[in-house]
Amino acid sequence: MKPGVLILGGTGEARALAAALVHRPDVRVVSSLAGRVSDPRLPEGEVRVGGFGGPGRLASWLRDQGIHAVVDATHPFAERITASAVRATAEAEIPLLILRRSGWRQEAGDDWHWVSSLEDAARSLPALGRRVFLTTGRQGLPAFTGLDDLWFLIRTVDPPEPPLPRHCHLLLDRGPYTLEGELSLMRAHRVDTLVTKDSGGTMTRAKLAAARQLGLPVVVVRRPPLPEAPTAVTVHEALVWLNDVRINPGNRME
């Protein structure tokens, strides 16, 4: 059996890494998706969908499948998956790399308000506006349900589970988005405040430029801290790391 690389994916970086590795004759590449999106963009190569059942079962799976390195290329806010990967790879004595794209950077003209959680974001909104463009994903929406004096435009990929804010309009859509499209959307709904997580990347960055052009305040939820583990911010850095750990049978982390 060829030595395996497990990519914990769902992001563009995960798909790009799989594409860079899948044609190598000396490596088996397996991409794992959490299964939370109904119609995900699938990477090249072997794909498994669904959870592993906890760190212990993931560690057993890694050993049984001959995995010699794991790259956690999940969303920057996928704390639970990352924590599970750290524990599982330590138990299985397999090297782990956390691949996280850089966060967004504030530019001249931006009016950003940094917060540490969705709950903090919700608490900040009454002082900022009345018509909120909420782009934090379908999980965590209950944090905003008590704000009955505000109206929300909620954009998610898949339909969220209730409860939702009392006054809202739900928009199901998937990026990438354009500046022109975001400007048109915000103007049509008379949005006066934007809420986002610091996800980074280019897929949804246009909303920040649109808010800047319209002079709107933006509430930005900070990323959770990363655990102690090797990290990379680009696919190229991840490929260099994989070469450095020498993905060969019998060459597990000591």
Side-chain angles (χ1 to χ4, degrees):
M1 180 185 295
K2 293 188 291 187
V5 175
L6 174 66
I7 302 173
L8 301 174
T11 61
E13 291 78 16
R15 292 189 293 273
L17 181 60
L21 292 172
V22 72
H23 300 296
R24 281 181 50 170
D26 58 332
V27 176
R28 173 192 173 210
V29 181
V30 183
S31 295
S32 177
L33 306 181
R36 294 176 179 171
V37 177
S38 61
D39 185 23
R41 294 187 175 98
L42 296 178
E44 295 185 51
E46 187 176 344
V47 179
R48 70 173 305 280
V49 179
F52 290 92
R57 291 187 178 181
L58 173 55
S60 296
W61 187 92
L62 294 172
R63 289 189 290 257
D64 293 344
Q65 294 292 318
I67 300 298
H68 290 264
V70 176
V71 179
D72 172 11
T74 54
H75 192 275
F77 286 82
E79 295 177 81
R80 190 171 300 176
I81 299 173
T82 298
S84 182
V86 170
R87 291 174 58 189
T89 51
E91 180 178 334
E93 298 183 321
I94 294 172
L96 168 70
L97 177 74
I98 299 176
L99 172 57
R100 289 287 188 276
R101 59 179 174 255
S102 299
W104 288 315
R105 293 186 177 182
Q106 194 165 353
E107 299 183 15
D110 284 329
D111 180 17
W112 287 11
H113 302 256
W114 289 91
V115 295
S116 297
S117 67
L118 292 175
E119 291 74 18
D120 287 345
R123 282 190 286 269
S124 73
L125 289 177
L128 295 175
R130 287 292 180 267
R131 299 182 65 83
V132 181
F133 187 13
L134 190 54
T135 65
T136 55
R138 63 190 177 99
Q139 298 183 356
L141 293 178
F144 301 90
T145 54
L147 299 173
D148 292 344
D149 292 335
L150 307 186
W151 179 89
F152 292 87
L153 173 62
I154 302 172
R155 183 168 67 192
T156 63
V157 175
D158 289 320
E161 297 289 335
L164 301 179
R166 181 177 179 182
H167 305 292
C168 69
H169 174 74
L170 180 62
L171 174 63
L172 301 181
D173 199 4
R174 186 200 303 261
Y177 304 106
T178 65
L179 174 59
E180 293 76 12
E182 298 291 66
L183 285 169
S184 177
L185 181 67
M186 292 182 188
R187 285 168 173 156
H189 291 280
R190 295 181 288 115
V191 166
D192 59 20
T193 311
L194 170 66
V195 182
T196 183
K197 293 178 177 178
D198 182 21
S199 300
T202 60
M203 289 278 288
T204 64
R205 188 171 60 191
K207 63 189 174 186
L208 300 174
R212 183 186 313 121
Q213 186 166 323
L214 295 172
L216 306 184
V218 182
V219 179
V220 186
V221 181
R222 293 186 181 90
R223 295 181 177 191
L226 288 174
E228 290 293 331
T231 60
V233 297
T234 67
V235 172
H236 174 73
E237 290 176 2
L239 291 169
V240 171
W241 179 85
L242 286 169
N243 286 329
D244 287 345
V245 299
R246 297 183 179 88
I247 307 305
N248 295 310
N251 187 41
R252 299 197 175 198
M253 183 174 60
E254 297 181 358

